[in-house]
């Protein structure tokens, strides 16, 4: 791919979906600098326009110059990265499968418009159920699987690292622990692969006489249920995912080859193919450079297989009929 190597072109990010999640991402991206053009697209054109005006009024205080405007899909042609946060929320009484079918149709329409522009970059998807929506966008776009990424369990992993950091009183940036599998109820933590600095987290706690698997399980449950707990109080979650998306976009833009638990395309890793699921992957200029096939054993291996089976069932029942 030649994008980002062209010095005659600005670094352009297009955001599709200017709701809570999309605008939290846009605000965080603006504040971190480094992007030269940010285009906002939404089905509600006035909303996108208002957001572009409001954000632009902060440009004078941003760390680097940036042009922001409400655009349309023709702006995707020159984009390096497109972030999709559009979608319907779960309505009362609606099942997860119903929502999946509804958002599949929305993703299909958006992706067709993006590809009609001649877009040739990387797409990052955050719309839920994110592993499935990423699969839909890849199938409809026909882009190489490495160039379509979902936010996966990046937010869940950030929540886990924050909570473990609180528990151990150690900086979250030195806690290397991952939430893997579906961004949803079938996620899990492979504890034997968690470390603090270079020391195994389980060993560290054991050495201190503090190893309590029930306590670790309850930290995991707090992470798993965090979205429900926040939604109950403020109806939506958006700042954390906004920052996670900014981090991912910067890793792509700057060709960082950083590791994130994105919705990654499996090609034999974890014994599965043709599915996207939260797994650690190396992220650089062209999207997913490599999916890390962590050696899972016992219950962890079972949990990964069962989460894969859940996603495969959702694809079969709620996606395939609408593609
Ligand atoms: P929201 O309702 O505030 O925003 C959704 C936006 O999408 C709206 O502005 C709407 O007009 C727009 N939209 C809908 N259909 C569209 C279409 N066809 N084309 C263009 N725009 C369209 O919702 P939100 O709180 O911002 O959440 C957005 C999505 O992000 C949801 O699917 C939510 O579940 C998901 N989410 C994901 C994570 C994660 O970790 N991946 C975390 C939080 C929320």
């Amino acid at each position: 791919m030649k994008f980002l190597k062209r010095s005659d072109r600005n670094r352009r990010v297009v955001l599709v979906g200017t709701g809570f999640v999309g605008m939290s991402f846009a605000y965080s991206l603006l504040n971190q600098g480094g992007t030269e053009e940010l285009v906002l697209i939404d089905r509600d054109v006035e909303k996108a326009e208002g957001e572009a005006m409001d954000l632009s009024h902060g440009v004078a205080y941003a760390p680097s110059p940036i042009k922001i405007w409400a655009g349309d899909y023709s702006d995707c042609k020159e984009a390096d990265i497109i972030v999709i946060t559009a979608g319907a929320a779960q309505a009362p009484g609606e099942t997860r499968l119903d929502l999946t079918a509804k958002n599949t149709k929305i993703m299909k329409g958006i992706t067709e418009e993006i590809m009609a522009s001649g877009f040739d970059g990387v797409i990052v998807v955050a719309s839920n159920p994110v592993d499935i929506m990423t699969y839909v966008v890849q199938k409809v776009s026909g882009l190489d699987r490495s160039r379509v990424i979902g936010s996966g369990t990046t937010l869940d992993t950030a929540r886990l690292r924050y909570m473990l950091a609180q528990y151990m009183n150690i900086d979250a940036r030195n806690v290397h622990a991952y939430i893997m599998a579906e961004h949803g109820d079938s996620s899990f933590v492979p504890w034997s692969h968690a470390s603090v600095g270079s020391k195994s987290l389980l060993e560290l706690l054991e050495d201190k006489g503090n190893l309590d698997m029930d306590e670790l399980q309850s930290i995991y449950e707090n992470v798993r249920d965090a979205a429900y707990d926040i939604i109950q109080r403020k109806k939506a979650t958006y700042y954390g995912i906004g920052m996670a998306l900014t981090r991912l976009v910067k890793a792509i833009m700057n060709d960082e080859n950083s590791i994130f638990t994105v919705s990654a395309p499996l090609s034999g890793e974890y014994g599965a193919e043709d599915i996207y699921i939260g797994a650690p992957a190396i992220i650089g200029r062209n999207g997913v450079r490599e999916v890390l096939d962590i050696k899972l054993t016992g219950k962890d291996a079972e949990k990964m297989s069962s989460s894969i089976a859940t996603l495969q069932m959702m694809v079969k029942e709620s996606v395939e009929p609408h593609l």
Side-chain angles (χ1 to χ4, degrees), residues 18 40-52 70-72:
T18 59
L40 307 183
I41 299 178
D42 199 287
R43 176 178 66 175
D44 181 345
V45 175
E46 280 205 343
K47 167 96 162 87
E49 285 172 353
E51 294 291 2
D72 57 38

Side-chain angles (χ1 to χ4, degrees), residues 162-174:
Y162 166 73
M163 289 185 202
L164 286 172
Q166 295 282 102
Y167 179 59
M168 296 184 294
N169 193 20
I170 288 175
D171 189 336
R173 291 169 299 181
N174 295 121

Side-chain angles (χ1 to χ4, degrees), residues 16-23 41-44 47 73 84-90 99 103 106-107 109-110 125-130 151-152 154-156 159 183 236-238 241:
V16 183
T18 59
F20 286 113
V21 171
M23 291 320 298
I41 299 178
D42 199 287
R43 176 178 66 175
D44 181 345
K47 167 96 162 87
Y73 286 99
I84 305 179
T85 63
Q90 199 155 358
L99 177 71
N103 277 343
I106 293 177
M107 286 309 114
I110 290 173
V125 181
S127 312
N128 273 324
V130 67
S151 58
T154 50
L155 173 59
D156 319 57
R159 285 173 175 152
H183 170 61
T237 77
Y238 36 90
I241 182 64

Side-chain angles (χ1 to χ4, degrees), residues 118-186:
F119 172 72
D120 185 28
V122 174
I123 303 183
V124 177
V125 181
S127 312
N128 273 324
V130 67
D131 304 291
I132 306 286
M133 292 307 117
T134 310
Y135 174 93
V136 171
V137 171
Q138 190 279 322
K139 288 283 175 213
V140 176
S141 69
L143 285 169
D144 192 279
R145 281 152 39 91
S146 58
R147 284 166 56 190
V148 182
I149 307 172
S151 58
T153 45
T154 50
L155 173 59
D156 319 57
T157 290
R159 285 173 175 152
L160 177 72
R161 289 171 62 188
Y162 166 73
M163 289 185 202
L164 286 172
Q166 295 282 102
Y167 179 59
M168 296 184 294
N169 193 20
I170 288 175
D171 189 336
R173 291 169 299 181
N174 295 121
V175 177
H176 302 285
Y178 295 121
I179 296 264
M180 287 184 64
E182 179 199 11
H183 170 61
D185 295 342
S186 65

